[in-house]
Amino acid sequence: MPGKEFDSQDDVARHVNRLEASGSGDIVQARDVHGGVHFHQTAPSFAVTPSQLPGDVRGFVNRHADLETLGRVIAENHEDPLAPAVTVITGTAGVGKTSLALHWAHSVRAHFPDGQLYVNLRGYDPGQPAIPEQVLDRFLRDLGVPATSIPVHLEDRASLYRSLLATRRMLVILDNAATASQVRPLLPGAATCLVVVTSRSRLSGLVARDGAFRLSLDILPEEDAVALLSTLIARYRKLDQRHELVELARLCARLPLALRIAAERAASRPMMRLVELIADLRDESALWDALTAEGDDDADAVRTVFAWSYRALPEPAARLFRLLGLHPGSEFGLPAAAAIAGISALQARQQLDVLVGAHLLEQPAPGRYEFHDLLRAYAVDQVRHLESPETRAESSQRVLGWYLHTADAAQTRIAPFDRYKLREPVPTDVAPLAFDSYDTAMRWYQIERANLVAATQAAAEANLHKSAWQLAAVLGAIFMHQNAFDDWLTTSSIGVDSAERDGDRSGQANALESLGRAYFQSRRLEEAETNHLAALAIRRSIGDRFGEAVSLNTLGLLGLRRRQLDDARSFFEQAGEIFSSLGERRWEALMRSNLAEALCEIQQPQAAIDILVEVLSVFRDLADRASEGNALYHLSWAQRELGDIANARDSIDQALRIAEDEDNQVWRAHWLVELGNVQRAAGQPEAALVAYQQAASIQRRLGDRSREAFALDGAGQAYQQMGRFEEAADFYRTAASTHQHLDDRWNLAQTLHRLADALDHIGSAEEAQTLRGRALDLLASFTDPRAAALRQRLS
């Protein structure tokens, strides 16, 4: 029965899973082969040791009892030595939870030599809070996991994250959490790790279910509040009286955030008597009390200090502060700030320095700025009250336009052949960035990734639907090369809706195609087909012949993935006719290269060779090195199928030279498997093992488990060719485990067939017969000649 082969209770599944590692597909150790080819078993490893703690807090004072309490978390033996230590620091907004957590984390970081992870979960930010899927994606990348190896689903990401931290001593800071459900997937599973969570909520679920220790942080005692003020202003003011500091602390509700802002204002006016500043703040407090009703006393005190400090700003800085409330994310760079205000970078830098000096903004890194969530909420409130709807719309359009056109510049470097060609003009007073290389563009994308998604969401929410769907289209070209599935699916879904609302049918089709590609690459093939068919229908209805051909070509690739080869060939041929009529040389060549792959699969190698020789000249004319190398890879395959081993070797050698010239390990690892296949066909299994070993090693680092399994299967065939059947069986089992995990029925059937042959030679005929039966079940849905021939051999 279809699907039965993947039942974990099935006898055959037990056979296949015997050598499957926990989530990492370990490579089986094999004995030396004429000079030491080793396939080592390896566990996941860090590419880097993350050190993500933000800087310690300047002027941190007191909290001695709280620090001693936290120190006991490390010193004490926990009742459950297998569970990670989790500490939750709770308290009202502005009470200093993050400051305490970071100050303590810096003091104990030596206990955690494998690194520290930090994330602001934005649980109380006016924008969108961070979701566990996004955080795990970032953590896994920061821990050295390649993008292609990050699972799609939350549970799988959490499992991989726990596996990576299982034997590590790691400190994890989860700042500004809103709920236990936001935190729980981010908890490691090992007692060697320590997690510190800060939250305004008590997070009782973490305490009751996960055994977390809770530290409730209160406002500072009067003595400590006065000490903090004295520490911050002592260098600038010498004559302040203690009773004045006590009154200033009272007006700040003895909350560290408000105290620091008040201290900064006092320090910046050393010649103004403190009593005058206090009177000014008292007047502000009375005004605030008149404007609010029955609010939280602490929160009102904090907002009063915000207003007091904000009203003292020069008007250009005050305007920038409130306009920054329109930025889609809480953290941003200098160019985005300049765009939102419509000013020069120099002006923006000067005004941002004023805001940082007043403690109304923080500067976590050179050129980067961020709001405390309370201050961001205050900025949002000010911009809504003090700026007209027209001004707010213009500012939003400028900053969204800056992100759109800078992302467009980035995609031209990151994905020059797959880029969406943006035709929208650059808004007035906006200076998008330009990039001189792939690396600079990629660095910008990685820094701004969260803001790019937030900008797409903000554009849709502001009914700026043209900006929303165009930003989604531009980002899709980047996401497809990064396997950034969460961001890709989110923005593409917004793009589909916004293009429809904008009345742009072509944009809607583009968004549907991008969404279909995201589903395709994340192996959600049914959803991929639905979206590609919808895009095709729109393009046909509006007479978009080029778009129609692109959709047909994509449906052909879907047919290849499903091994519906007749359908694939039909789609490619239809697309080819359209591309040819439009004079689209590169697209026609790409489609014909895809058609050649389908012809190889249906055992028509000479027809494939005829096509590939023609398209190679096109790719060479266009300097499309990736497509040239891929065509050479397919050409080698077709030549090998015909028994032309010498030319096959020449073709794959040319492909590998391209990979070496371009320093592209993805291409090299993929094409090395074909080199091994050619060497086996030439009767050189020992040499083939070297190629397979190199391919498997690179694919392991890249995280492409499917292609790693192809290399391991090839190694099994090489060992079998050498008459070393036990080693062959080991490699086949490991490859089969991966194919099974990925629901790759065709390749699983082929590997089970080879495994059964190896088992025959080592006296395991009963198991071999069982595996042949399972392979036959897997092949039931395939009707192509190669599948028919394999069924005949199995029968």
PDB file of all heavy atoms in Angstrom, residues 255-271:
ATOM      1  N   LEU A 255      12.410  53.640  38.905  1.00  0.00           N
ATOM      2  CA  LEU A 255      12.579  52.672  37.815  1.00  0.00           C
ATOM      3  C   LEU A 255      13.856  53.009  37.045  1.00  0.00           C
ATOM      4  O   LEU A 255      14.038  54.154  36.602  1.00  0.00           O
ATOM      5  CB  LEU A 255      11.382  52.689  36.875  1.00  0.00           C
ATOM      6  CG  LEU A 255      10.079  52.132  37.448  1.00  0.00           C
ATOM      7  CD1 LEU A 255       8.905  52.496  36.565  1.00  0.00           C
ATOM      8  CD2 LEU A 255      10.174  50.628  37.621  1.00  0.00           C
ATOM      9  N   PRO A 256      14.749  52.054  36.853  1.00  0.00           N
ATOM     10  CA  PRO A 256      16.048  52.359  36.236  1.00  0.00           C
ATOM     11  C   PRO A 256      15.959  53.030  34.876  1.00  0.00           C
ATOM     12  O   PRO A 256      16.763  53.921  34.575  1.00  0.00           O
ATOM     13  CB  PRO A 256      16.708  50.975  36.137  1.00  0.00           C
ATOM     14  CG  PRO A 256      16.127  50.213  37.280  1.00  0.00           C
ATOM     15  CD  PRO A 256      14.695  50.682  37.367  1.00  0.00           C
ATOM     16  N   LEU A 257      15.030  52.614  34.014  1.00  0.00           N
ATOM     17  CA  LEU A 257      14.933  53.233  32.685  1.00  0.00           C
ATOM     18  C   LEU A 257      14.658  54.723  32.811  1.00  0.00           C
ATOM     19  O   LEU A 257      15.313  55.560  32.179  1.00  0.00           O
ATOM     20  CB  LEU A 257      13.840  52.545  31.867  1.00  0.00           C
ATOM     21  CG  LEU A 257      13.568  53.147  30.487  1.00  0.00           C
ATOM     22  CD1 LEU A 257      14.807  53.039  29.596  1.00  0.00           C
ATOM     23  CD2 LEU A 257      12.378  52.448  29.819  1.00  0.00           C
ATOM     24  N   ALA A 258      13.675  55.083  33.659  1.00  0.00           N
ATOM     25  CA  ALA A 258      13.353  56.498  33.845  1.00  0.00           C
ATOM     26  C   ALA A 258      14.487  57.230  34.550  1.00  0.00           C
ATOM     27  O   ALA A 258      14.804  58.387  34.219  1.00  0.00           O
ATOM     28  CB  ALA A 258      12.056  56.615  34.646  1.00  0.00           C
ATOM     29  N   LEU A 259      15.120  56.590  35.505  1.00  0.00           N
ATOM     30  CA  LEU A 259      16.231  57.224  36.217  1.00  0.00           C
ATOM     31  C   LEU A 259      17.382  57.564  35.286  1.00  0.00           C
ATOM     32  O   LEU A 259      18.001  58.624  35.388  1.00  0.00           O
ATOM     33  CB  LEU A 259      16.714  56.302  37.333  1.00  0.00           C
ATOM     34  CG  LEU A 259      15.786  56.153  38.553  1.00  0.00           C
ATOM     35  CD1 LEU A 259      16.220  54.967  39.406  1.00  0.00           C
ATOM     36  CD2 LEU A 259      15.766  57.432  39.380  1.00  0.00           C
ATOM     37  N   ARG A 260      17.688  56.671  34.352  1.00  0.00           N
ATOM     38  CA  ARG A 260      18.794  56.917  33.428  1.00  0.00           C
ATOM     39  C   ARG A 260      18.479  58.086  32.487  1.00  0.00           C
ATOM     40  O   ARG A 260      19.352  58.891  32.165  1.00  0.00           O
ATOM     41  CB  ARG A 260      19.110  55.652  32.640  1.00  0.00           C
ATOM     42  CG  ARG A 260      19.776  54.578  33.478  1.00  0.00           C
ATOM     43  CD  ARG A 260      20.067  53.298  32.700  1.00  0.00           C
ATOM     44  NE  ARG A 260      20.720  52.324  33.559  1.00  0.00           N
ATOM     45  CZ  ARG A 260      22.009  52.314  33.851  1.00  0.00           C
ATOM     46  NH1 ARG A 260      22.812  53.219  33.303  1.00  0.00           N
ATOM     47  NH2 ARG A 260      22.521  51.411  34.661  1.00  0.00           N
ATOM     48  N   ILE A 261      17.235  58.153  32.019  1.00  0.00           N
ATOM     49  CA  ILE A 261      16.858  59.261  31.133  1.00  0.00           C
ATOM     50  C   ILE A 261      16.917  60.585  31.899  1.00  0.00           C
ATOM     51  O   ILE A 261      17.441  61.594  31.404  1.00  0.00           O
ATOM     52  CB  ILE A 261      15.457  59.017  30.554  1.00  0.00           C
ATOM     53  CG1 ILE A 261      15.483  57.809  29.608  1.00  0.00           C
ATOM     54  CG2 ILE A 261      14.942  60.251  29.830  1.00  0.00           C
ATOM     55  CD1 ILE A 261      14.115  57.396  29.108  1.00  0.00           C
ATOM     56  N   ALA A 262      16.397  60.580  33.134  1.00  0.00           N
ATOM     57  CA  ALA A 262      16.427  61.799  33.939  1.00  0.00           C
ATOM     58  C   ALA A 262      17.867  62.204  34.263  1.00  0.00           C
ATOM     59  O   ALA A 262      18.216  63.398  34.233  1.00  0.00           O
ATOM     60  CB  ALA A 262      15.632  61.581  35.223  1.00  0.00           C
ATOM     61  N   ALA A 263      18.709  61.221  34.583  1.00  0.00           N
ATOM     62  CA  ALA A 263      20.101  61.532  34.897  1.00  0.00           C
ATOM     63  C   ALA A 263      20.817  62.136  33.696  1.00  0.00           C
ATOM     64  O   ALA A 263      21.641  63.053  33.839  1.00  0.00           O
ATOM     65  CB  ALA A 263      20.809  60.262  35.360  1.00  0.00           C
ATOM     66  N   GLU A 264      20.519  61.626  32.508  1.00  0.00           N
ATOM     67  CA  GLU A 264      21.163  62.157  31.309  1.00  0.00           C
ATOM     68  C   GLU A 264      20.773  63.613  31.086  1.00  0.00           C
ATOM     69  O   GLU A 264      21.610  64.449  30.726  1.00  0.00           O
ATOM     70  CB  GLU A 264      20.787  61.313  30.090  1.00  0.00           C
ATOM     71  CG  GLU A 264      21.354  61.826  28.789  1.00  0.00           C
ATOM     72  CD  GLU A 264      22.877  61.935  28.798  1.00  0.00           C
ATOM     73  OE1 GLU A 264      23.534  61.052  29.394  1.00  0.00           O
ATOM     74  OE2 GLU A 264      23.395  62.908  28.227  1.00  0.00           O
ATOM     75  N   ARG A 265      19.494  63.932  31.320  1.00  0.00           N
ATOM     76  CA  ARG A 265      19.078  65.320  31.136  1.00  0.00           C
ATOM     77  C   ARG A 265      19.745  66.220  32.163  1.00  0.00           C
ATOM     78  O   ARG A 265      20.171  67.338  31.852  1.00  0.00           O
ATOM     79  CB  ARG A 265      17.556  65.436  31.226  1.00  0.00           C
ATOM     80  CG  ARG A 265      17.082  66.846  30.905  1.00  0.00           C
ATOM     81  CD  ARG A 265      15.599  66.941  30.690  1.00  0.00           C
ATOM     82  NE  ARG A 265      15.220  68.330  30.462  1.00  0.00           N
ATOM     83  CZ  ARG A 265      13.975  68.777  30.461  1.00  0.00           C
ATOM     84  NH1 ARG A 265      12.979  67.917  30.633  1.00  0.00           N
ATOM     85  NH2 ARG A 265      13.710  70.045  30.258  1.00  0.00           N
ATOM     86  N   ALA A 266      19.838  65.739  33.388  1.00  0.00           N
ATOM     87  CA  ALA A 266      20.504  66.547  34.414  1.00  0.00           C
ATOM     88  C   ALA A 266      21.984  66.732  34.099  1.00  0.00           C
ATOM     89  O   ALA A 266      22.542  67.826  34.263  1.00  0.00           O
ATOM     90  CB  ALA A 266      20.328  65.882  35.777  1.00  0.00           C
ATOM     91  N   ALA A 267      22.646  65.656  33.635  1.00  0.00           N
ATOM     92  CA  ALA A 267      24.074  65.748  33.324  1.00  0.00           C
ATOM     93  C   ALA A 267      24.334  66.676  32.151  1.00  0.00           C
ATOM     94  O   ALA A 267      25.386  67.331  32.088  1.00  0.00           O
ATOM     95  CB  ALA A 267      24.615  64.349  33.022  1.00  0.00           C
ATOM     96  N   SER A 268      23.385  66.754  31.220  1.00  0.00           N
ATOM     97  CA  SER A 268      23.585  67.600  30.039  1.00  0.00           C
ATOM     98  C   SER A 268      23.336  69.075  30.337  1.00  0.00           C
ATOM     99  O   SER A 268      23.588  69.925  29.486  1.00  0.00           O
ATOM    100  CB  SER A 268      22.663  67.142  28.910  1.00  0.00           C
ATOM    101  OG  SER A 268      21.307  67.357  29.254  1.00  0.00           O
ATOM    102  N   ARG A 269      22.850  69.398  31.533  1.00  0.00           N
ATOM    103  CA  ARG A 269      22.591  70.790  31.946  1.00  0.00           C
ATOM    104  C   ARG A 269      23.279  71.059  33.292  1.00  0.00           C
ATOM    105  O   ARG A 269      22.621  71.290  34.316  1.00  0.00           O
ATOM    106  CB  ARG A 269      21.092  71.039  32.040  1.00  0.00           C
ATOM    107  CG  ARG A 269      20.395  70.983  30.673  1.00  0.00           C
ATOM    108  CD  ARG A 269      18.895  70.802  30.807  1.00  0.00           C
ATOM    109  NE  ARG A 269      18.239  70.865  29.506  1.00  0.00           N
ATOM    110  CZ  ARG A 269      18.234  69.873  28.628  1.00  0.00           C
ATOM    111  NH1 ARG A 269      18.874  68.739  28.904  1.00  0.00           N
ATOM    112  NH2 ARG A 269      17.623  70.011  27.467  1.00  0.00           N
ATOM    113  N   PRO A 270      24.598  71.014  33.310  1.00  0.00           N
ATOM    114  CA  PRO A 270      25.313  71.105  34.593  1.00  0.00           C
ATOM    115  C   PRO A 270      25.142  72.447  35.305  1.00  0.00           C
ATOM    116  O   PRO A 270      25.316  72.523  36.526  1.00  0.00           O
ATOM    117  CB  PRO A 270      26.772  70.866  34.197  1.00  0.00           C
ATOM    118  CG  PRO A 270      26.846  71.231  32.750  1.00  0.00           C
ATOM    119  CD  PRO A 270      25.517  70.867  32.174  1.00  0.00           C
ATOM    120  N   MET A 271      24.808  73.514  34.571  1.00  0.00           N
ATOM    121  CA  MET A 271      24.667  74.819  35.196  1.00  0.00           C
ATOM    122  C   MET A 271      23.243  75.098  35.669  1.00  0.00           C
ATOM    123  O   MET A 271      22.993  76.113  36.308  1.00  0.00           O
ATOM    124  CB  MET A 271      25.101  75.917  34.206  1.00  0.00           C
ATOM    125  CG  MET A 271      26.511  75.738  33.671  1.00  0.00           C
ATOM    126  SD  MET A 271      27.752  75.544  34.996  1.00  0.00           S
ATOM    127  CE  MET A 271      27.633  77.132  35.796  1.00  0.00           C
TER     128      MET A 271
END
